[in-house]
């Protein structure tokens, strides 16, 4: 899946649009065990990056070189993505639940303006016939067969979840150091990928569940950090 295209497009628009910031509905979806949350203010970032400067950037040149009508259409009219860029983008770091020794997983979250358009955008950017959108009630997920970056969304928000690298390394080391395991190489790799997919799927469900009584939202330091004026706001639980 060309998920990296979606990541580039999100960042491109955040730095290339002038919008009006509002209270962020995505805050109530953040996991309570987040160790770090970063919030970008697209208004100030856009105002500080002139359009010509952005067009000279490596990111813009990289996107423009791709022979992809959807990418070009997005750059011309970001609203076709279905993403609501009047709200901040959030990046959170949480514990890799698939790891025994630690490590973290990174999640990018944003607010949707039109779920149907976002659904269409994800399908267009996914070029693999093996990757399909799975529907769980109001939740939808695109979990790549190779356990790469996953995309999930409901009617209000979307989340992009990176795979847990720490857990994957531990599983690889454990399985391939076991001299008593006679299973073929492909079969052992399949077990690791299935475990990673399950971890990602569970995290997507958690991220798409609103937490109205979240201790994070009741944390005065967190709310102060998120409401502080600035281009980028960062909170961590340390």
């Amino acid at each position: 899946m060309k998920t990296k295209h979606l990541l580039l497009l999100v960042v491109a628009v955040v730095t290339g649009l002038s919008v009006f910031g509002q209270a962020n509905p995505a805050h109530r979806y953040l996991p309570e065990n987040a160790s770090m949350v970063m919030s970008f203010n697209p208004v100030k970032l856009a105002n500080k990056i002139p359009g010509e400067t952005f067009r000279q950037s490596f990111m813009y040149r990289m996107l423009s070189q791709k022979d992809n009508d959807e990418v070009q259409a997005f750059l011309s009219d970001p609203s076709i993505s279905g993403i609501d860029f009047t709200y901040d983008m959030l990046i959170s770091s949480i514990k890799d639940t698939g790891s025994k020794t630690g490590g973290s997983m990174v999640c990018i979250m944003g607010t949707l303006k039109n779920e149907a358009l976002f659904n269409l955008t994800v399908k267009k950017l996914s070029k693999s016939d093996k990757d399909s959108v799975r529907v769980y009630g109001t939740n939808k997920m695109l979990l790549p067969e190779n356990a790469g970056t996953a995309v999930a969304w409901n009617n209000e928000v979307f989340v992009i979840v990176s795979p847990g690298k720490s857990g994957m390394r531990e599983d690889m080391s454990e399985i391939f150091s076991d001299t008593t395991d006679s299973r073929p190489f492909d079969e052992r790799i399949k077990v690791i990928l299935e475990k990673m997919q399950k971890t990602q799927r569970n995290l997507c469900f958690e991220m798409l569940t609103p937490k109205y009584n979240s201790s994070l939202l009741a944390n005065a330091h967190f709310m102060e950090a998120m409401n502080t004026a600035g281009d980028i706001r960062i909170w961590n639980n340390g």
Side-chain angles (χ1 to χ4, degrees):
M1 173 190 173
K2 301 295 184 63
T3 310
K4 63 180 181 180
H5 290 178
L6 182 59
L7 292 171
L8 284 170
L9 293 174
V10 167
V11 177
V13 173
V14 166
T15 57
L17 271 180
S18 291
V19 292
F20 183 77
Q22 305 175 44
N24 199 335
H27 283 165
R28 62 176 172 264
Y29 285 88
L30 287 168
E32 294 185 85
N33 64 342
S35 60
M36 183 280 296
V37 177
M38 180 184 297
S39 178
F40 294 86
N41 185 315
V43 177
K44 294 188 176 180
L45 287 173
N47 289 339
K48 292 184 178 181
I49 303 177
E52 184 58 32
T53 300
F54 172 65
R55 285 188 288 273
Q56 295 298 323
S57 69
F58 170 75
M59 181 189 305
Y60 183 83
R61 294 197 303 271
M62 191 171 162
L63 286 169
S64 298
Q65 289 173 356
K66 296 184 180 299
D67 185 18
N68 189 314
D69 293 338
E70 285 78 26
V71 171
Q72 299 305 320
F74 183 96
L75 290 175
S76 299
D77 181 13
S79 66
I80 65 172
S81 68
I83 299 173
D84 192 341
F85 290 102
T86 62
Y87 295 104
D88 285 8
M89 304 294 297
L90 302 176
I91 297 179
S92 61
S93 176
I94 64 174
K95 181 181 179 182
D96 180 359
T97 56
S99 171
K100 301 183 182 69
T101 60
S104 60
M105 300 176 71
V106 175
C107 304
I108 300 175
M109 179 175 284
T111 303
L112 292 179
K113 187 172 184 177
N114 188 315
E115 185 275 333
L117 283 178
F118 185 79
N119 188 1
L120 184 61
T121 298
V122 172
K123 289 181 178 179
K124 286 181 177 179
L125 292 174
S126 175
K127 301 301 182 181
S128 174
D129 294 333
K130 296 180 180 180
D131 299 334
S132 59
V133 174
R134 304 176 189 178
V135 180
Y136 306 92
T138 58
N139 296 334
K140 296 179 180 179
M141 301 181 192
L142 184 63
L143 302 170
E145 188 180 56
N146 64 356
T149 301
V151 183
W153 65 98
N154 56 24
N155 294 326
E156 188 173 30
V157 298
F158 73 90
V159 60
I160 300 173
V161 179
S162 68
K165 297 295 181 65
S166 297
M168 180 184 70
R169 286 194 294 266
E170 292 170 13
D171 290 338
M172 292 280 285
S173 176
E174 181 177 329
I175 287 181
F176 291 107
S177 62
D178 184 0
T179 56
T180 63
D181 193 339
S182 59
R183 291 175 299 173
F185 177 85
D186 290 347
E187 186 175 331
R188 284 183 278 178
I189 287 293
K190 182 180 179 181
V191 170
I192 295 175
L193 293 179
E194 287 176 347
K195 180 181 177 181
M196 289 177 64
Q197 273 198 331
K198 182 178 179 180
T199 299
Q200 281 186 307
R201 184 174 63 251
N202 291 341
L203 178 56
C204 286
F205 278 125
E206 179 185 353
M207 295 291 288
L208 293 178
T209 302
K211 304 159 187 67
Y212 297 103
N213 299 313
S214 170
S215 60
L216 192 60
L217 298 182
N219 185 314
H221 296 294
F222 171 77
M223 295 308 299
E224 181 182 4
M226 293 297 102
N227 292 323
T228 299
D231 298 343
I232 298 174
R233 295 171 293 285
I234 301 176
W235 170 89
N236 64 72
N237 65 1

